[in-house]
């Protein structure tokens, strides 16, 4: 704007105000930024004022003040003209934009046309205006729509399941495209998609309305829906329907009576899956059924577990009842299965017991013990078990009693061995080594006896046969041993035959000198201090030669060496009592059979011995013996000793009754022998001198 020179100011200067920083062109009075003119002072270079405040510049003379201006008067009309043209072109543009945005001529502009209008505004540097903003907004909305449509179409092709549009969103999009003042050819695509989706929706609605539809149809609908790329509300329902159908199908299969029974875990898995399935009457029903089934199955399993574990065993009938109850549960129940197996075993066991109890003869102890062990292991209450245990117990106590009766303390023999004939009686070395092993604690019982295995021992027949065979072998063996040992030189009489084999005591040394003893059975010699001596000989000191003070009866008290003395020698009454107890046992033991054989053997021998003693010859001999005794008792002791204490004292008797001796020895050869040294009480066995060694071998006291 042009202003006349202020009063008195004559100087003027052109100034491009727009190039100055704002603070250098401010009026110091009113702070207005000056564009076209200002008053300044040469002397006061720090400030200027607008033309309204010329009096506020400074106090200097106006000749020192000067005008600063932007344009001359000539320049202004050109400027004005230019301004006019510019204003006119903006108007034209704005008009075009308005027509386009309002669709005033009824024709939607294309996207490119709208974009061209925007470019024009940019090129012509039109100031930012509300109209331009509307144009820009419209363009970005159109761009967004097109992008969405492209995404929709490509998504449909690629079947991407990434952010799907919902049906509602699709409708909104279509509406938006229709309302925008821009012609978009993509709108046709969108309309197509919408039509497809709507057709699909109608189909899905129909399928859902006519439930139950076939699972195949539902599944194909679901798949088609996924290909649409648009989320249809019915799709969710379809999905649920398909899941329900699938789950129901699985449950049905699992519970089918013909199917392989699934485990509890499978059932639990189905139930967990079922909890995630949307409810429907049939799903709810299946869930309830499954839950009930599981509860019942678990309860029975618990019961079965209790039956298997409990200390209190249950009878087979109870187990059968439990198993029957669970038969119709279509689930595999491991505990019930275990219970079934236990029951089957128990039934087999009962059958075994029946068979063994009702057999031809009593069951043998081994079998009973086996049955008891099996029965104890079974988790089933078996009434027969108690009875069997009792039988086994009785048999054991019988055997214990028999052992106490027959076995010596720390015996190296078993009861059965002692009761049976010693088949290796003739083998001195076997007996010796065994005795040594026992003394050293090395001996272990043989399992084989009389050549019989544990199995043979179950059969009473084979025990009896073996016993008879053993008797024969024993007899032969002992005769052989006696022959051999008799040939050995006596340590009492210095021998001239140095080459013949000599006796060896159990200590391993050759017995010699004072205190040696000869076994009445095997005829071998031993140190008196190395062997235990029958109690009648323990006092006075046992010696057949060095003790002249022995009583008259002492010489026929017999000594048995530890190798021959295998057992105690109980009286026949004791044994008969044992046999009576054995008969009451409903159990068979090999020891029982052996004892019976032994008893028969003893009684048979006793019979024959009595007959022999009753014969003429023996009675005569006994008479003679009685006379001798009377003479002895009448004589003083020393003499008596000198005559009768040595082993040779027997000789006259033997000679005098040769027939009888051979007769008695015949008894041995028949395989029978009874009596023992203990039994040689005074005045009782005095007539049996010659047969003593026979009876020694047998372990029954007559
Ligand atoms: Zn001012
Ligand atoms: Zn001044
Ligand atoms: Zn010795
Ligand atoms: Zn002997």
């Amino acid at each position: 704007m042009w202003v006349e020179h202020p009063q008195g100011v004559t100087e003027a200067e052109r100034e491009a105000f727009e190039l100055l920083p704002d603070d250098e062109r401010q009026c110091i009075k009113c702070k207005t930024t000056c564009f076209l003119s200002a008053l300044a002072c040469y002397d006061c270079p720090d400030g200027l004022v607008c033309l309204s405040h010329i009096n506020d510049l400074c106090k200097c003379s106006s000749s020192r003040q000067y005008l600063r201006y932007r344009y001359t008067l000539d320049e202004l009309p050109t400027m004005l003209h230019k301004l006019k043209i510019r204003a006119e072109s903006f108007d034209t543009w704005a008009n075009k934009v308005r027509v386009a945005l309002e669709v005033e001529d009824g024709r939607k502009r294309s996207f490119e046309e709208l974009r061209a209008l925007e470019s024009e505004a940019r090129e012509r540097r039109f100031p930012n205006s509300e109209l331009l903003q509307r144009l820009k907004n419209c363009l970005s909305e159109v761009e967004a729509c097109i992008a969405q449509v492209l995404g929709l179409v490509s998504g449909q092709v690629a079947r991407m399941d990434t952010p799907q549009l919902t049906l509602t969103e699709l409708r909104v999009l279509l509406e938006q495209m229709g309302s925008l003042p821009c012609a978009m050819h993509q709108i046709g695509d969108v309309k197509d998609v919408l039509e497809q989706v709507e057709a699909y929706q109608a189909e899905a609605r129909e399928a859902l309305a006519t439930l139950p539809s076939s699972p195949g149809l539902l599944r194909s609908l679901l798949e088609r829906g996924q290909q649409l790329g648009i989320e249809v509300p019915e799709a969710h329902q379809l999905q649920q329907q398909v899941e329900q159908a699938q789950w129901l199908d699985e449950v049905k299969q699992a519970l089918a009576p013909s199917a392989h029974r699934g485990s509890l875990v499978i059932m639990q898995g189905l139930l967990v899956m079922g909890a995630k399935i949307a409810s429907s009457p049939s799903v709810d029903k299946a869930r309830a059924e499954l839950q009930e089934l599981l509860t019942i199955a678990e309860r029975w399993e618990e019961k079965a577990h209790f039956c298997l574990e409990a200390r209190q065993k249950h009878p087979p009938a109870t187990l059968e009842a439990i198993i029957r109850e669970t038969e119709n549960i279509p689930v595999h129940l491991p505990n019930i299965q275990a219970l079934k197996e236990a029951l089957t075993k128990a039934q087999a066991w009962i059958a075994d017991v029946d068979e063994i109890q009702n057999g031809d003869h009593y069951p043998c102890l081994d079998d009973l013990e086996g049955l008891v062990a099996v029965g104890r292991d079974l988790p089933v209450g078996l009434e027969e078990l108690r009875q069997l245990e009792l039988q086994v117990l009785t048999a054991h106590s019988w055997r214990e009693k028999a052992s106490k009766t027959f076995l010596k303390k720390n015996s190296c023999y078993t009861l059965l061995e002692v009761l049976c004939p010693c088949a290796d009686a003739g083998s001195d070395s076997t007996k010796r080594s065994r005795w040594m092993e026992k003394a050293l604690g090395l001996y272990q019982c043989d399992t084989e006896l009389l050549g019989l295995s544990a199995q043979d021992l179950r059969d009473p027949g084979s025990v009896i046969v073996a016993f008879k065979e053993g008797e024969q072998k024993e007899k032969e063996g002992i005769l052989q041993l006696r022959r051999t040992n008799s040939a050995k030189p006596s340590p009492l009489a210095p021998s001239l035959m140095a080459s013949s084999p000599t006796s060896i005591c159990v200590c391993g040394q050759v017995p010699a000198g004072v205190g040696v003893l000869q076994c009445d059975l095997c005829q071998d010699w031993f140190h008196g201090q190395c062997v235990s001596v029958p109690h009648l000989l323990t006092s006075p000191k046992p010696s057949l030669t060095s003790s002249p003070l022995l009583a008259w009866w002492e010489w026929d008290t017999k000594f048995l060496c530890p190798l021959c003395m295998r057992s105690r020698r109980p009286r026949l009454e004791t044994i008969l009592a044992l046999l009576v107890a054995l008969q009451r046992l409903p159990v068979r033991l090999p020891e029982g059979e052996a004892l019976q054989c032994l008893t028969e053997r003893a009684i048979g021998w006793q019979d024959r011995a009595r007959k022999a003693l009753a014969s003429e010859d023996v009675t005569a001999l006994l008479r003679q013996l009685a006379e001798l005794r009377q003479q002895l008792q009448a004589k003083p002791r020393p003499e008596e000793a000198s005559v009768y204490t040595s082993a040779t004292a027997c000789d006259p008797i033997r000679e005098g009754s040769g027939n009888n001796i051979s007769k008695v020895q015949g008894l041995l050869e028949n395989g029978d022998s009874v009596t023992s040294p203990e039994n040689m009480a005074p005045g009782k066995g005095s007539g049996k001198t010659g047969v003593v060694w026979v009876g020694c071998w047998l372990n029954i006291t007559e």
Side-chain angles (χ1 to χ4, degrees):
M1 180 122 358
W2 176 253
V3 181
E4 273 189 31
H5 280 198
Q7 206 174 10
V9 177
T10 53
E11 296 300 318
E13 243 173 55
R14 199 176 173 107
E15 178 76 75
F17 282 103
E18 69 270 19
L19 299 179
L20 291 175
D22 276 358
D23 57 338
E24 284 179 24
R25 49 180 176 138
Q26 257 177 12
C27 165
I28 56 170
K29 179 71 180 173
C30 70
K31 306 296 178 196
T32 296
T33 305
C34 299
F35 292 97
L36 295 173
S37 56
L39 189 65
C41 175
Y42 289 123
D43 298 329
C44 312
D46 282 343
L48 50 74
V49 289
C50 70
L51 296 192
S52 308
H53 299 104
I54 49 173
N55 296 323
D56 295 307
L57 180 61
C58 59
K59 300 292 173 208
C60 301
S61 124
S62 53
S63 61
R64 293 307 299 156
Q65 295 175 334
Y66 67 101
L67 182 74
R68 298 168 76 176
Y69 66 95
R70 178 69 182 92
Y71 301 108
T72 66
L73 207 57
D74 301 333
E75 287 168 327
L76 285 178
T78 328
M79 283 173 69
L80 189 63
H81 180 67
K82 277 187 189 166
L83 190 62
K84 220 172 172 181
I85 290 169
R86 190 166 157 76
E88 272 168 8
S89 80
F90 179 77
D91 276 348
T92 314
W93 174 83
N95 204 38
K96 275 195 280 181
V97 171
R98 199 172 298 114
V99 169
L101 291 183
E102 301 295 332
V103 204
E104 279 172 7
D105 55 356
R107 184 182 72 87
K108 279 191 181 179
R109 301 297 187 269
S110 73
F111 180 68
E112 289 73 23
E113 285 173 295
L114 293 176
R115 180 65 89 203
L117 282 174
E118 194 213 2
S119 306
E120 190 184 338
R122 191 167 50 243
E123 279 157 16
R124 296 198 172 183
R125 292 193 215 137
F126 288 148
N128 205 358
S129 62
E130 191 213 354
L131 199 60
L132 181 59
Q133 201 52 53
R134 270 179 64 196
L135 179 64
K136 280 181 174 168
N137 288 348
C138 173
L139 277 168
S140 60
E141 274 182 62
V142 170
E143 276 179 328
C145 284
I146 291 171
Q148 235 177 334
V149 173
L150 287 177
L152 177 66
V153 174
S154 69
Q156 226 175 352
V157 172
R159 283 193 209 171
M160 294 196 311
D161 36 20
T162 38
Q164 269 191 347
L165 280 182
T166 64
L167 184 58
T168 321
E169 284 167 340
L170 185 67
R171 288 203 177 108
V172 168
L173 173 65
L174 192 64
E175 214 171 284
Q176 192 187 8
M177 288 173 87
S179 66
L180 277 173
C182 176
M184 283 173 276
H185 63 84
Q186 290 90 346
I187 201 159
D189 298 342
V190 178
K191 274 181 184 160
D192 285 350
V193 170
L194 186 63
E195 264 169 39
Q196 277 178 34
V197 172
E198 278 171 345
Y200 169 76
Q201 189 182 30
E203 228 178 305
R205 274 185 183 154
E206 198 184 336
L208 289 171
T210 58
L211 282 173
S213 310
S214 80
L217 173 69
L218 291 181
R219 207 166 294 127
S220 77
L221 267 174
L222 195 60
E223 276 167 22
R224 271 176 53 205
Q226 280 158 354
Q227 286 169 17
L228 285 176
I230 299 295
E231 200 184 299
V232 184
E234 284 75 13
H236 182 60
Q237 272 174 278
L238 276 176
Q239 178 75 39
Q240 281 186 353
Q241 287 291 333
V242 168
E243 281 172 3
Q244 285 173 346
Q246 251 169 6
W247 184 76
L248 283 171
D249 206 41
E250 273 175 60
V251 172
K252 205 169 138 192
Q253 274 177 11
L255 299 185
S258 59
H260 172 75
R261 288 185 175 191
S263 67
L264 274 178
V265 179
I266 293 179
M267 297 295 157
Q268 278 155 353
L270 271 177
L271 203 58
V272 169
M273 262 166 65
K276 294 177 194 154
I277 303 289
S279 329
S280 82
S282 48
V283 168
D284 290 349
K285 188 164 161 262
R287 269 201 295 242
E289 277 175 8
L290 205 57
Q291 181 61 66
E292 196 190 346
L293 181 66
L294 264 177
T295 312
I296 291 174
E298 276 165 3
R299 205 165 50 221
W300 282 113
E301 273 295 87
E302 218 165 276
K303 224 171 211 175
H305 179 76
F306 181 74
C307 279
L308 290 168
E309 295 291 310
R311 297 194 74 72
Q312 173 86 45
K313 294 179 179 181
H314 297 272
T318 311
L319 303 192
E320 271 166 22
I322 291 176
I323 290 167
R324 219 176 309 117
E325 290 284 344
T326 58
E327 249 161 23
N328 292 324
I329 298 178
V331 184
H332 173 71
L333 303 168
N335 288 346
I336 292 289
Q337 192 56 38
L339 209 58
K340 262 187 205 170
E341 280 157 23
L343 184 62
T344 311
K345 281 185 195 161
Q347 281 159 348
W349 185 86
I350 291 169
D352 283 351
V353 171
D354 275 357
E355 196 190 319
I356 218 169
Q357 300 281 41
N358 299 322
D360 291 340
H361 35 69
Y362 285 131
C364 68
L365 182 58
D366 276 2
D367 292 344
L368 279 191
E369 281 176 329
L371 274 175
V372 166
V374 171
R376 276 181 182 159
D377 268 358
L378 287 175
V380 184
L382 301 157
E383 46 184 295
E384 296 87 345
L385 184 61
R386 188 76 212 102
Q387 195 191 335
L388 290 193
E389 282 175 335
L390 205 66
Q391 290 178 359
V392 167
L393 208 69
T394 329
H396 275 291
S397 74
W398 182 88
R399 189 153 68 184
E400 210 165 288
K401 211 164 157 192
S403 297
K404 268 188 198 153
T405 310
F406 279 97
L407 294 187
K408 294 203 284 185
K409 221 177 178 185
N410 298 324
S411 172
C412 64
Y413 300 100
T414 65
L415 177 61
L416 192 56
E417 281 174 322
V418 155
L419 294 180
C420 288
C422 179
D424 57 4
S427 167
D428 190 47
S429 59
T430 312
K431 283 196 284 182
R432 274 173 189 272
S433 64
R434 186 154 181 185
W435 194 86
M436 289 303 288
E437 279 172 13
K438 173 68 189 179
L440 296 170
L442 294 173
Y443 179 68
Q444 289 178 332
C445 281
D446 281 336
T447 45
E448 285 219 346
L449 184 84
L450 296 176
L452 290 178
S453 66
Q455 187 55 42
D456 292 333
L457 286 177
R458 286 159 195 264
D459 176 22
S462 62
V463 172
I464 291 165
V465 169
F467 193 94
K468 301 283 178 210
E469 284 169 5
E471 266 180 56
Q472 192 60 33
K473 279 188 195 151
E474 181 185 59
K475 190 185 75 186
E476 286 161 9
I478 199 72
L479 284 172
Q480 177 61 41
L481 193 62
R482 277 172 68 86
R483 270 195 294 278
T484 314
N485 289 339
S486 307
K488 290 176 185 172
S490 163
L492 296 171
S495 171
L496 300 172
M497 299 177 289
S499 58
S500 62
T502 52
S503 297
I504 307 287
C505 176
V506 287
C507 67
Q509 305 293 314
V510 177
V514 168
V516 291
L517 288 173
Q518 185 179 30
C519 174
D520 274 297
L521 186 55
C522 66
Q523 306 268 284
D524 215 350
W525 290 91
F526 299 88
H527 291 121
Q529 69 269 24
C530 291
V531 293
S532 65
V533 174
H535 59 84
L536 278 174
L537 285 182
T538 50
S539 173
K541 186 128 172 99
S543 163
L544 292 177
T545 49
S546 63
S547 173
L549 296 172
L550 280 180
W552 63 270
W553 40 264
E554 280 173 328
W555 55 263
D556 61 8
T557 298
K558 298 308 163 196
F559 159 67
L560 282 188
C561 74
L563 302 180
C564 292
M565 186 76 162
R566 296 203 303 168
S567 68
R568 292 181 198 281
R569 323 185 80 76
R571 290 179 174 276
L572 201 50
E573 299 94 87
T574 318
I575 288 168
L576 288 176
L578 269 178
L579 282 176
V580 169
L582 177 70
Q583 262 168 351
R584 285 199 213 105
L585 280 184
V587 185
R588 275 189 43 238
L589 302 100
E591 288 88 350
E593 265 120 37
L595 184 63
Q596 274 171 324
C597 290
L598 179 67
T599 313
E600 275 169 33
R601 188 184 180 195
I603 291 172
W605 181 88
Q606 195 184 33
D607 255 15
R608 267 169 282 181
R610 277 195 184 129
K611 274 179 200 149
L613 289 172
S615 70
E616 283 290 316
D617 300 336
V618 178
T619 6
L621 183 71
L622 285 175
R623 239 189 337 265
Q624 202 181 334
L625 197 66
E627 281 164 23
L628 260 172
R629 254 194 207 133
Q630 276 173 356
Q631 289 170 21
L632 280 172
Q633 278 164 352
K635 282 184 182 177
R637 230 162 202 249
E639 280 173 55
E640 162 194 86
S642 64
V643 177
Y644 296 108
T645 49
S646 91
T648 51
C650 291
D651 288 348
I653 301 171
R654 282 197 183 166
E655 279 158 23
S657 56
N659 282 344
N660 302 328
I661 294 302
S662 62
K663 195 180 253 177
V664 172
Q665 271 181 342
L667 286 173
L668 166 71
E669 272 141 38
N670 284 336
D672 301 307
S673 50
V674 172
T675 211
S676 78
E678 289 95 326
N679 194 31
M680 293 292 117
K684 194 175 169 194
S686 51
K688 297 177 188 168
T689 341
V691 278
V692 154
W693 62 268
V694 185
C696 285
W697 189 242
L698 210 74
N699 32 19
I700 297 179
T701 303
E702 185 191 345

